[in-house]
Amino acid sequence: SQQGEEDPQALSIQEGENATMNCSYKTSINNLQWYRQNSGRGLVHLILIRSNEREKHSGRLRVTLDTSKKSSSLLITASRAADTASYFCATDLLGAGSYQLTFGKGTKLSVIP
Amino acid sequence: NAGVTQTPKFQVLKTGQSMTLQCAQDMNHNSMYWYRQDPGMGLRLIYYSASEGTTDKGEVPNGYNVSRLNKREFSLRLESAAPSQTSVYFCASIRRPGQVNTEAFFGQGTRLTVV
């Protein structure tokens, strides 16, 4: 079963507004990552937050992590039409000699010019 | 650098036919992964290879086989294609899973249709 679940499934905002997406997961993690996927393309890594971090910034992106609630949020500030894409959270499962990265179903963001 | 390269980009198969999806990375990454992406389902892990010489099943391995040919290449084989395998397939690689360079790099995908 999938580890992460994003919420909402779809989000439509006006250019300039902020967009917030949430991710909930089930088991303990080492880190949580956010990826972006433009239509018809592969996923591109955006930002990684480790389990001992609570907040991280990268440009217009802000990620928070609450390990007690097993949840994370991705905030995109001052959105642009070019931010239109699907966003996925990914969590790791670190086992003996192996490493699985599992993805949620994604949030489809539409930024209207 | 090319990053992660998948071939082919598009493929149409008839039910029962076989084919191999190829994936190669030129970043000297240790681990490689195959995912499938279906509408409303997100990405689901089919198989992965933690390092050269090892492969393990993921969430949805039935109907697939893999080969880690060398450190660069990780192929996915459909022995007898079924319509349920119609999907977009993504290959990904990670340099050092669980450590500093742990983000995944993805190929552009293979869109497979089984009729």
Side-chain angles (χ1 to χ4, degrees), chain A residues 37-106:
Chain A
Q37 183 182 34
N38 288 88
S39 181
R41 309 296 296 272
L43 280 72
V44 175
H45 180 262
L46 292 176
I47 192 166
L48 179 152
I49 185 166
R50 301 199 180 279
S51 59
N52 61 355
E53 296 176 312
R54 291 297 167 258
E55 186 171 315
K56 199 163 184 180
H57 297 253
S58 178
R60 293 185 296 114
L61 304 179
R62 181 171 77 95
V63 171
T64 62
L65 179 64
D66 187 335
T67 52
S68 66
K69 295 182 179 177
K70 292 186 169 58
S71 68
S72 174
S73 67
L74 171 67
L75 169 67
I76 304 174
T77 59
S79 64
R80 305 166 182 169
D83 294 328
T84 294
S86 291
Y87 292 83
F88 296 86
C89 68
T91 53
D92 63 337
L93 293 173
L94 184 61
S98 69
Y99 183 85
Q100 295 187 46
L101 196 61
T102 58
F103 289 81
K105 297 179 181 180

Side-chain angles (χ1 to χ4, degrees), chain A residues 1-17:
Chain A
S1 63
Q2 287 174 291
Q3 164 81 309
E5 292 289 340
E6 292 89 346
D7 171 65
Q9 291 184 9
L11 179 62
S12 183
I13 59 173
Q14 296 285 89
E15 199 167 28
E17 294 180 337

Side-chain angles (χ1 to χ4, degrees), chain A residues 1-2 31 33 35 37 40-45 48 50 88 92 94 97-106, chain B residues 33 35 37 40-45 48 50 56-59 90 94 97-100 102-104 106-108 111:
Chain A
S1 63
Q2 287 174 291
N31 62 66
Q33 304 178 41
Y35 287 80
Q37 183 182 34
R41 309 296 296 272
L43 280 72
V44 175
H45 180 262
L48 179 152
R50 301 199 180 279
F88 296 86
D92 63 337
L94 184 61
S98 69
Y99 183 85
Q100 295 187 46
L101 196 61
T102 58
F103 289 81
K105 297 179 181 180
Chain B
Y33 304 79
Y35 292 89
Q37 185 176 31
M41 297 296 293
L43 278 82
R44 292 182 292 171
L45 182 62
Y48 64 102
D56 286 286
K57 295 179 181 179
E59 182 185 354
F90 287 99
I94 298 176
Q99 299 181 31
V100 176
T102 198
E103 63 265 32
F106 281 81
Q108 291 302 298
R111 189 173 296 274

